[in-house]
Amino acid sequence: MAARSIEIKLELRKETGKNKAKKLRKEGYLPAIFYGPGYKESIPVMVRIDDVLPYLQSSHWGTYAFNVTLPDGRTETALIRDLQVDPLSREILHVDFYQLLKGHKVLVAVPVVLENRDDCIGVKKGGVLVQPLYEIEMEVLPGEIPDGIHVDVAALDIGDSVRMSDIELPESAVISIDPEETIVQAVEPIIEEIEEAVEEEVEEEMEVEVIGKKGVVEEEEEEEEE
C-alpha cells in the first residue's frame, strides 16, 4: 500500500545557529531544511512540531510522503531524508525534507512489518520467529512508495520461511537483494538449542575425564607389575 500524503506548512527560518534552533523548539517549532533536484540551494525552514511529531516517531517516517507548502506559497511533495536526534534525551532536533519529482525514482528504506504473529502456527507450537531483514531498500516512483512491506506469518510452521521472492513489490520498484534472501523464518526455540549444546559439551567433558582417569589407573597397574 502506498504511503498516504500529509499536508504540512513550512515557514521561513530567518535565523540559524544552535541557540536560535533551541529557541525555536521552545516555541513549538522544529528547525528544518527543504532541498531537492529542482532547487539550486536548500531552503532553511521550520515546521510546527505538533504537525509532524506523530510521523517522526513512527518506524515508517522515511516512507511518508508530505505535501508541503513552502514559504513562497509553492507546493511540493517531499520525503523526510534525515532526522537529527539527541542521543540522551531522544528529542528530535532537526529534520531534512527532500523534494520528490514526478516520474523520477527515489531510494527509500521500507520497513518490514510482520502481521498475525500471535496466530503463527510455529509460534503456537513453541517456536520463535527469526527476522534477518527489518527493512528493504528500493528505488521506486514517488506515487508507489509503500508505507511498509507487510508479511503475514500466520501460516508459517516451524522450518518455514518467507523469502524476498515471495513478496509482492510495487511495479516500479528495483531492489538489489537476492530473491532467495530470507525475510522471516519460524524456528525451534533458541534456548533449547543452547541447552542441547551445553548438555553435549558437558557429556564430552565427562567422557574425556573418565578416559583420563582410566589411563592413570592402567599406568599404576603396569608400575606395580614391574
Side-chain angles (χ1 to χ4, degrees):
M1 186 175 76
R4 62 190 180 91
S5 296
I6 302 110
E7 303 283 342
I8 59 171
K9 182 180 179 181
L10 302 181
E11 301 178 39
L12 185 63
R13 180 161 53 100
K14 297 179 181 180
E15 299 176 311
T16 59
K18 188 175 181 180
N19 292 333
K20 299 297 181 182
K22 187 175 181 180
K23 180 182 178 183
L24 281 180
R25 288 191 290 272
K26 286 184 177 181
E27 294 174 351
Y29 284 90
L30 186 63
I33 61 169
F34 177 89
Y35 69 103
Y39 292 79
K40 292 182 178 180
E41 297 180 353
S42 60
I43 304 173
V45 294
M46 58 186 185
V47 60
R48 296 286 312 179
I49 294 177
D50 292 342
D51 291 345
V52 294
L53 190 58
Y55 310 107
L56 302 184
Q57 292 177 330
S58 167
S59 61
H60 302 251
W61 63 263
T63 62
Y64 285 118
F66 292 86
N67 288 331
V68 302
T69 300
L70 296 172
D72 63 2
R74 282 182 291 179
T75 58
E76 299 281 5
T77 302
L79 285 179
I80 294 174
R81 258 296 179 244
D82 188 37
L83 291 180
Q84 292 181 21
V85 182
D86 186 289
L88 297 178
S89 68
R90 307 309 299 168
E91 178 188 9
I92 298 173
L93 305 176
H94 190 278
V95 59
D96 293 0
F97 289 97
Y98 179 77
Q99 176 198 23
L100 297 178
L101 293 178
K102 187 176 181 179
H104 291 256
K105 291 184 179 181
V106 62
L107 180 65
V108 293
V110 182
V112 175
V113 182
L114 302 186
E115 297 183 337
N116 300 316
R117 299 175 68 113
D118 294 338
D119 296 326
C120 177
I121 295 173
V123 171
K124 288 183 177 181
K125 289 183 177 180
V128 294
L129 290 172
V130 175
Q131 184 180 353
L133 204 58
Y134 284 88
E135 63 180 24
I136 297 172
E137 279 197 350
M138 64 178 72
E139 287 188 338
V140 62
L141 290 174
E144 296 183 7
I145 299 173
D147 61 355
I149 301 298
H150 298 266
V151 180
D152 190 338
V153 298
L156 291 187
D157 202 343
I158 292 178
D160 293 340
S161 63
V162 176
R163 300 179 181 181
M164 275 303 308
S165 57
D166 301 319
I167 300 302
E168 184 177 351
L169 298 173
E171 186 176 352
S172 66
V174 177
I175 63 173
S176 59
I177 302 174
D178 189 327
E180 296 303 308
E181 183 84 17
T182 298
I183 295 177
V184 60
Q185 183 176 22
V187 300
E188 294 284 357
I190 297 176
I191 189 167
E192 289 185 6
E193 295 178 5
I194 295 175
E195 289 176 350
E196 290 176 2
V198 171
E199 288 176 1
E200 290 178 1
E201 186 176 345
V202 170
E203 289 176 359
E204 290 177 358
E205 289 178 354
M206 291 177 66
E207 288 177 4
V208 171
E209 185 177 355
V210 170
I211 292 173
K213 287 183 178 179
K214 184 178 179 182
V216 171
V217 172
E218 289 177 348
E219 288 178 2
E220 291 177 350
E221 290 177 349
E222 288 177 359
E223 289 177 358
E224 289 178 357
E225 290 177 357
E226 292 176 356

